[in-house]
Amino acid sequence: MRGRYDVVVDAAHWHAFSLTSALLSRWSAKAWVVGARRGPAQIYSAAVEPPPEGASEVEAKLLLLRGLGLPVPPSAPPLRTRAGENLSRWAAGVIGGEAILLNPGARKSDHRWPPDRFAALGRALNKARGVRSLVAFGPGEENLARAVVAQAGTSAFLAPPTDLPHLAALLRAAVLAVVNDTGPMHLAAACGTPTLAILHASQGARFAHRGPLFATLVWPEVPEALAAASRLLDTAGAAREPRRSFEENG
């Protein structure tokens, strides 16, 4: 029993039972194992009923607290990050004013909205809102980002290579992020950036974040994405106005 845990929570996906995850959880635990009631419930010390339809992945995972006799928060806590002053200055210098951040990459190729649509959205946003787009990329994705910039013309420019802290700084400085269903989607939400997430399938909505500054679309055409992006920009602008007025009159 050496090296095993007092309590193990099997937080595998809710949509399908994973025997591998369940058995590893049981093997890793000294005694108490919590999991979802998706398969043989006798594997678990406490089996929690599956979440209601439409629950987000985070909200669904929090329901597993019931198996430990703990209260479930009424909503998932928002993600948060902190900005360093040096990185904020660096990001402001890269963007040089206002910019929309486009992130066309994703680890899975079928999660990538086509680069020509990212480029077309960048052109449309520049025409409608007068804002250029900064195209960011992860490891091995520079050619993809360059293809978006080439097709977007003067409406977009290429970001420098970034690690996670530098990408977060660019997201905080951006007025909007348009991302695929991938890691930068969650980083954008954590940075408080208005975010339009492009999902490859409706099932991806369970990974979405709550709130007026986060929207999802499933493989949209460019006009639909433009409309959603414009709504997010308008919502973010309206939220900033009262603060600006207070600061000017304070």
Side-chain angles (χ1 to χ4, degrees):
M1 303 293 288
R2 184 179 179 184
R4 295 186 179 179
Y5 299 92
D6 296 318
V7 176
V8 173
V9 177
D10 178 7
H13 289 314
W14 293 81
H15 60 277
F17 175 69
S18 170
L19 180 61
T20 301
S21 181
L23 291 177
L24 284 174
S25 298
R26 168 53 66 187
W27 179 83
S28 301
K30 292 180 182 178
W32 200 259
V33 184
V34 176
R37 193 181 297 277
R38 300 159 302 174
Q42 61 269 27
I43 291 179
Y44 302 117
S45 310
V48 178
E49 292 300 321
E53 191 72 25
S56 73
E57 193 72 6
V58 174
E59 291 165 344
K61 295 295 194 290
L62 287 174
L63 291 177
L64 292 170
L65 291 171
R66 292 174 177 170
L68 301 173
L70 298 174
V72 178
S75 61
L79 297 176
R80 291 286 185 266
T81 63
R82 294 184 178 180
E85 185 177 345
N86 290 339
L87 284 180
S88 296
R89 286 198 298 267
W90 171 83
V94 170
I95 289 178
E98 287 193 340
I100 293 162
L101 189 142
L102 306 180
N103 193 93
R107 181 175 62 86
K108 298 179 180 179
S109 59
D110 65 345
H111 283 51
R112 296 173 184 166
W113 201 43
D116 61 320
R117 294 193 189 183
F118 268 104
L121 179 60
R123 292 195 303 269
L125 284 167
N126 182 244
K127 182 178 180 180
R129 315 293 299 213
V131 181
R132 296 178 72 205
S133 293
L134 173 70
V135 184
F137 56 92
E141 296 174 346
E142 185 171 355
N143 287 340
L144 176 64
R146 287 187 180 279
V148 173
V149 172
Q151 294 179 66
T154 58
S155 300
F157 59 106
L158 190 69
T162 58
D163 54 17
L164 284 178
H166 285 83
L167 177 58
L170 291 176
L171 284 166
R172 291 188 195 98
V175 296
L176 173 73
V178 183
V179 296
N180 291 311
D181 179 8
T182 187
M185 175 181 79
H186 303 293
L187 185 59
C191 292
T193 309
T195 303
L196 174 59
I198 308 296
L199 309 179
H200 80 293
S202 58
Q203 294 90 329
R206 70 180 189 271
F207 296 107
H209 297 268
R210 305 294 190 190
L213 296 182
F214 192 95
T216 61
L217 292 174
V218 179
W219 223 247
E221 297 295 331
V222 173
E224 185 183 5
L226 174 62
S230 294
R231 286 193 296 270
L232 285 167
L233 288 168
D234 290 340
T235 300
R240 286 195 297 266
E241 282 304 321
R243 179 178 176 184
R244 185 176 301 147
S245 297
F246 175 81
E247 289 172 347
E248 289 172 352
N249 297 326

